[in-house]
Amino acid sequence: MTEGNFVDYVKIYVSSGKGGKGSTHLHREKFIEKGGPDGGDGGRGGHVYLVGNKGLWTLFHLKFARHIKAGHGGDGGGDRSTGADGDDKFIEVPLGTVVKDKETGETLFEITEDGEKRILSKGGKGGLGNWHFRSSTNQTPRYAQPGLPGVEMDVILELKVLADVGLVGFPNAGKSTLLSVLTSAKPKIADYPFTTLKPNLGIVAYRDYQSFVIADIPGIIEGAAEGKGLGHYFLRHIERNSTLLFLVPVDTPDIKAEYDILVNELTKYNPEMLDKERLLVISKCDMLDDELKAELKTELDVAFKDVPYMFISSVAQQALTDLKDKLWKMLNE
């Protein structure tokens, strides 16, 4: 899928069908005088549903289908015939889709399971026919109920990618390279910042046919929570991750300062990010010899007393098995 085809935010207009009106029909039959009321009820209007589909991971299919309308209910008929129900509309969305009311910003619900079906806009109820209004004092009612109108609304669909581990780092930190060696994903990799323009997902194969999902989002820069760079736009995708992997290159002038900037940006975006498990990974360590690594380890032991850290190299594939073991342990504690 190309970067242009990844859509994680759309505004759509939905309209359920109106209910059919009840019938005021009076029974007519040979040799039967004053047959009385036999008007049927109107059919209900069609609903608009949202359905989870694990085969989708973008809202691109809704980018050019912004108006979605269900069918109207049919009118009631004679002989107490009920009108047909309106056709329902089913909108398939990827798992992790959050539905918000455009006017109020209120979160209505979210789709998290494959096949999960929720009514987004309920169809109007069909009106009652005159059969329901007969009585001893009103034996020939010549009125019936109109159907109730459908519900029209503007909604926002916002996709939050579902993954176990989220990769967090500055542009050009090597997140996409790490994703490519841990999984079968093929993200775009190049020697310039903001190579990644959309989130990438990969499945990490672990021992005994077990696996977990890792997500790579565009690089975060200082001020991302205020809208700088690209990372702020995709921060929503790591809200669902249970573990955050902070990736900092070993040639960074100040590892602690870079880590603090990343944590600060996440906290400004959503303070609940601090509650997630964190792992600091120092990348590109194939550039260090044992002596330099030992010296750096002494500094990091002081700077990161409460945050676990480890050294890896994606290109040289050093310590990647240890990284998988550590992540699996953190996910299953």
Side-chain angles (χ1 to χ4, degrees):
M1 176 169 290
T2 65
E3 287 152 357
N5 287 352
F6 181 81
V7 177
D8 62 354
Y9 182 95
V10 293
K11 297 175 184 177
I12 61 172
Y13 163 85
V14 295
S15 173
S16 58
K18 66 182 181 182
K21 60 187 180 184
S23 171
T24 57
H25 189 267
L26 298 175
H27 184 67
R28 292 286 181 269
E29 189 176 342
K30 193 175 182 180
F31 306 123
I32 296 180
E33 292 185 57
K34 301 179 180 178
D38 69 346
D41 302 340
R44 71 154 175 86
H47 302 319
V48 179
Y49 291 93
L50 247 59
V51 184
N53 183 342
K54 66 181 180 182
L56 297 174
W57 76 289
T58 172
L59 297 170
F60 180 76
H61 60 294
L62 297 174
K63 187 176 180 180
F64 306 107
R66 299 290 180 89
H67 291 75
I68 297 166
K69 299 179 180 180
H72 299 310
D75 296 339
D79 201 19
R80 295 171 61 187
S81 299
T82 302
D85 290 343
D87 291 332
D88 295 328
K89 281 286 185 181
F90 297 90
I91 307 172
E92 292 194 332
V93 294
L95 308 188
T97 299
V98 178
V99 184
K100 295 181 179 179
D101 188 307
K102 183 184 173 186
E103 301 298 322
T104 64
E106 176 191 1
T107 298
L108 304 177
F109 57 85
E110 53 188 298
I111 301 290
T112 57
E113 296 180 7
D114 185 44
E116 182 180 355
K117 186 166 72 171
R118 300 285 292 270
I119 293 180
L120 178 58
S121 181
K122 195 170 185 178
K125 184 180 179 183
L128 298 177
N130 64 353
W131 163 261
H132 293 276
F133 303 106
R134 73 198 190 287
S135 69
S136 59
T137 56
N138 185 12
Q139 297 183 0
T140 314
R142 297 180 183 274
Y143 52 84
Q145 285 181 337
L148 296 179
V151 178
E152 301 179 20
M153 59 193 306
D154 290 298
V155 296
I156 295 171
L157 301 183
E158 196 175 88
L159 174 61
K160 295 183 179 180
V161 168
L162 296 176
D164 301 303
V165 179
L167 290 178
V168 183
F170 273 60
N172 237 25
K175 299 185 299 300
S176 297
T177 304
L178 178 60
L179 183 72
S180 70
V181 296
L182 285 180
T183 74
S184 298
K186 297 291 183 284
K188 184 178 179 182
I189 299 171
D191 188 22
Y192 55 84
F194 294 114
T195 311
T196 301
L197 299 176
K198 66 179 181 66
N200 291 303
L201 287 180
I203 298 175
V204 180
Y206 194 61
R207 296 184 176 93
D208 300 323
Y209 303 103
Q210 298 176 105
S211 63
F212 57 92
V213 180
I214 192 166
D216 165 31
I217 69 166
I220 297 171
I221 62 174
E222 191 168 6
E226 285 82 41
K228 292 184 180 178
L230 286 174
H232 74 285
Y233 185 72
F234 296 105
L235 283 174
R236 71 171 76 98
H237 293 296
I238 56 176
E239 284 186 278
R240 301 285 181 79
N241 306 151
S242 58
T243 299
L244 298 180
L245 190 159
F246 290 83
L247 196 66
V248 180
V250 73
D251 55 356
T252 300
D254 191 334
I255 292 175
K256 182 69 166 67
E258 186 163 312
Y259 171 80
D260 287 342
I261 290 171
L262 292 170
V263 172
N264 185 47
E265 293 304 322
L266 295 184
T267 306
K268 284 193 285 186
Y269 175 76
N270 184 351
E272 293 181 4
M273 295 282 196
L274 290 176
D275 299 332
K276 298 182 182 295
E277 291 276 348
R278 282 178 261 171
L279 174 64
L280 173 62
V281 173
I282 314 298
S283 65
K284 306 180 183 178
C285 289
D286 52 314
M287 299 190 295
L288 298 180
D289 57 25
D290 292 339
E291 185 179 343
L292 284 173
K293 191 179 290 187
E295 185 179 325
L296 180 59
K297 189 174 186 307
T298 304
E299 296 175 12
L300 295 178
D301 285 339
V302 176
F304 296 98
K305 293 180 180 178
D306 301 322
V307 180
Y309 69 88
M310 59 190 306
F311 298 97
I312 70 157
S313 170
S314 301
V315 175
Q317 300 204 3
Q318 294 176 1
L320 296 184
T321 302
D322 294 338
L323 176 59
K324 289 183 186 180
D325 290 339
K326 181 66 176 176
L327 289 172
W328 182 259
K329 185 179 178 182
M330 294 174 73
L331 290 171
N332 291 278
E333 282 180 345

